[in-house]
């Protein structure tokens, strides 16, 4: 009887391990597909002469990110490396390997976010060098603090404020950090030529609304893997996360429709604003709290992007700082508000911790980006020449245009 029980327990454990591995692998594939969404969102927004560059940047950034995260970033965040024999690495159905793949897709979202902000005037190889250091050093520093308890910061929050910083799927860890890094890069690059004419701001219209919409759709679908599968196990699946993601997405759509006055660019970025904001507290909020979070994120994106484009010299092409930086920061704070039991949430969260943790993420992003982009700007330069920018990054960098016009 004892042997039979042990055998059954072994079978159940093996089945659970294989199920968890498959579950996380599917999540990794869904988030990996989101990078196609980043690419098409950028392709549809930039001018036609920069479309090839947008596609190439996103793909090559992922390759560089993989190398940086494999050799440095994952070790820095979690203290684990892959310098062992294949038999050891494949233990437990290779769950740890799939976990790396899943978390890599999060890390690689950082340069994909940055890419949209610096589009149309950035040099190619200096940006790839920046990607290596951002994914290898800056992002995993904060990732390890929040998701692995490094440097005892989470312990300090819990001891002094009652609860650790909560970011279930990366409103701050991924999107906030990526958006604030992008802000620094955008400032270093300056405005695109022709954006200010006779003292007035001129906005360049998106080159292809269908491609922009396709990118938004791919991102929105993949986001359910981003959020729901952040549980990282079958046992952790929560329908609440899926429902809250849905409600925040819808809130962002409708808010962007109204605040953006039926502009298709705003409408298709609206769901992304809501989804960015709900990541942190999607496992804690009541669906009505998620809806409010998404509505406020949609309005925040539209207002902030409009202000940047028309009133400042910060030329953020896709609005990645408002979308990811500001909405991500709002998401960190929103988790502390709508996660409270008094507002229908599950509780176990501190608003003050959420505010301080969000500020810490912003500080690390700004400081790290200033060092990386500042040094590269001094050593190699970050920006295309005025002639290359006029001709477009497609011809200047890749020697080909997006369509054959012969």
């Amino acid at each position: 009887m004892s042997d039979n029980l042990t055998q059954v327990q072994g079978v159940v454990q093996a089945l659970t391990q294989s199920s968890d591995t498959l579950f996380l692998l599917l999540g990794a594939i869904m988030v990996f597909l989101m990078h196609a969404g980043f690419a098409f969102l950028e392709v549809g927004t930039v001018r036609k002469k920069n479309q090839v560059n947008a596609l190439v940047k996103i793909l090559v950034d992922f390759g560089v990110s993989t190398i940086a995260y494999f050799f440095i970033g994952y070790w820095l965040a979690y203290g684990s490396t892959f310098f062992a024999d294949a038999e050891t690495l494949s233990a437990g159905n290779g769950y740890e390997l799939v976990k790396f793949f899943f978390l890599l897709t999060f890390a690689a979202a950082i340069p994909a976010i940055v890419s949209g902000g610096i589009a149309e005037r950035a040099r190619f190889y200096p940006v790839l060098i920046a990607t290596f250091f951002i994914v290898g050093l800056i992002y995993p520093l904060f990732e390890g603090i929040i998701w692995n308890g490094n440097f005892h910061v989470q312990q300090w929050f819990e001891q002094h404020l009652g609860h650790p910083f909560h970011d279930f799927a990366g409103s701050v860890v991924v999107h906030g950090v990526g958006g604030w890094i992008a802000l620094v890069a955008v400032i270093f690059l300056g405005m695109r030529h022709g954006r200010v004419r006779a003292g007035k701001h001129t906005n360049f219209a998106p080159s292809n609304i269908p491609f922009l919409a396709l990118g938004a759709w791919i991102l929105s679908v993949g986001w359910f893997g981003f959020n729901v599968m952040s549980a990282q196990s079958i046992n952790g699946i929560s329908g609440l996360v899926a429902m809250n993601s849905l409600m925040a997405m819808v809130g962002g759509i409708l808010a962007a429709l109204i605040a953006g006055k039926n502009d298709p660019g705003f409408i298709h970025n609206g769901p992304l604003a809501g989804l960015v904001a709900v990541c942190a507290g999607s496992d804690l909020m009541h669906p009505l709290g998620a809806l409010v979070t998404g509505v406020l994120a949609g309005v925040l994106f539209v207002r902030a992007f409009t202000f940047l484009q028309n009133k400042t010299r910060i030329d953020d092409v896709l609005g990645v700082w408002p979308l990811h930086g500001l909405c991500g920061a709002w998401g960190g704070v929103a988790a502390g508000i709508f996660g409270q039991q008094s507002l229908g949430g599950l509780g176990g969260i501190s608003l003050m911790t959420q505010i301080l943790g969000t500020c810490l993420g912003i500080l690390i992003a700004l400081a790290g980006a200033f060092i990386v982009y500042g040094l590269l700007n001094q050593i190699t330069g970050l920006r295309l020449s005025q002639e290359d920018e006029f001709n477009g990054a497609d011809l200047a960098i890749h020697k080909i245009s997006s369509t054959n016009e012969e």
Side-chain angles (χ1 to χ4, degrees):
M1 180 67 70
S2 177
D3 290 342
N4 289 338
L5 181 60
T6 301
Q7 189 175 19
V8 170
Q9 288 175 338
V11 171
V12 171
Q13 183 179 9
L15 181 61
T16 301
Q17 286 180 339
S18 59
S19 298
D20 287 345
T21 302
L22 177 61
F23 171 76
L24 199 56
L25 177 60
L26 293 174
I29 293 169
M30 288 181 71
V31 183
F32 180 41
L33 181 61
M34 289 175 69
H35 289 262
F38 283 120
F40 278 101
L41 190 68
E42 185 173 337
V43 167
T45 305
V46 299
R47 288 170 289 179
K48 188 176 179 180
K49 60 184 179 181
N50 298 292
Q51 290 179 328
V52 173
N53 181 244
L55 293 169
V56 173
K57 270 192 306 178
I58 299 293
L59 186 60
V60 179
D61 269 335
F62 190 89
V64 173
S65 297
T66 302
I67 298 302
Y69 200 62
F70 182 87
F71 287 102
I72 304 173
Y74 192 75
W75 166 77
L76 181 62
Y78 300 102
S80 299
T81 66
F82 301 100
F83 301 109
D85 59 77
E87 183 177 358
T88 301
L89 293 175
S90 62
N93 298 103
Y95 177 83
E96 288 300 319
L97 299 178
V98 174
K99 179 182 177 181
F100 164 80
F101 181 19
F102 183 69
L103 292 173
L104 163 67
T105 60
F106 281 50
I110 303 292
I113 291 168
V114 174
S115 176
I118 63 176
E120 301 202 337
R121 77 271 200 205
R123 295 179 61 200
F124 188 65
Y125 287 106
V127 168
L128 294 183
I129 295 171
T131 291
F132 183 87
F133 287 105
I134 287 167
V135 176
L137 296 173
I138 299 172
Y139 167 73
L141 175 63
F142 187 63
E143 177 191 18
I145 288 173
I146 301 305
W147 285 344
N148 197 47
N150 295 352
F151 304 111
H152 306 292
V153 174
Q154 290 284 49
Q155 184 180 353
W156 186 92
F157 282 147
E158 188 167 9
Q159 288 176 348
H160 292 84
L161 299 173
H163 298 284
F165 181 74
H166 187 88
D167 191 351
F168 180 70
S171 284
V172 180
V173 174
V174 179
H175 300 285
V177 167
W180 288 88
I181 287 174
L183 175 64
V184 175
V186 167
I187 291 173
F188 270 113
L189 279 162
M191 298 188 77
R192 288 167 289 173
H193 293 293
R195 280 275 286 113
V196 177
R197 299 175 184 173
K200 295 183 179 180
H201 285 66
T202 300
N203 294 322
F204 301 132
S207 61
N208 192 310
I209 294 296
F211 275 165
L212 187 158
L214 175 63
W217 273 104
I218 293 172
L219 284 166
S220 297
V221 172
W223 224 295
F224 287 86
F226 197 99
N227 284 1
V228 175
M229 292 174 175
S230 284
Q232 299 186 23
S233 68
I234 290 284
N235 190 50
I237 293 177
S238 171
L240 182 64
V241 175
M243 175 60 80
N244 285 341
S245 300
L246 175 66
M247 296 302 284
M249 180 185 74
V250 169
I253 293 171
L254 298 178
L257 167 68
I258 296 170
K261 300 178 181 178
N262 203 22
D263 181 282
F266 285 137
I267 292 171
H268 284 93
N269 276 280
L272 311 183
L275 287 163
V276 165
V278 82
C279 286
S282 57
D283 62 328
L284 296 177
M285 296 178 179
H286 187 280
L288 291 177
L291 178 63
V292 174
T293 297
V295 167
L296 293 177
V299 173
L300 177 61
F301 168 71
V302 172
R303 298 299 185 215
F305 183 66
T306 301
F307 177 76
L308 284 186
Q309 291 296 96
N310 298 326
K311 302 295 183 182
T312 77
R313 298 188 67 84
I314 298 175
D315 189 8
D316 183 348
V317 180
L318 268 68
V320 296
W321 177 61
L323 182 64
H324 298 274
L326 291 182
C327 291
W330 159 237
V333 176
I337 298 172
F338 297 107
Q340 302 290 340
Q341 287 183 324
S342 59
L343 292 176
L346 297 181
I349 195 166
S350 163
L351 177 57
M352 184 54 66
T353 297
Q354 294 304 114
I355 293 172
L356 292 179
T358 298
C359 290
L360 177 62
I362 292 172
L363 180 63
I364 290 174
L366 291 176
F370 183 82
I371 293 170
V372 170
Y373 287 107
L375 287 175
L376 284 171
N377 194 45
Q378 290 294 319
I379 296 170
T380 68
L382 292 170
R383 184 161 181 162
L384 292 172
S385 68
Q386 186 169 350
E387 180 181 359
D388 283 343
E389 185 180 338
F390 177 80
N391 292 329
D394 293 356
L395 292 176
I397 297 173
H398 308 290
K399 314 304 179 187
I400 193 170
S401 62
S402 59
T403 56
N404 184 352
E405 309 230 348
E406 292 182 3

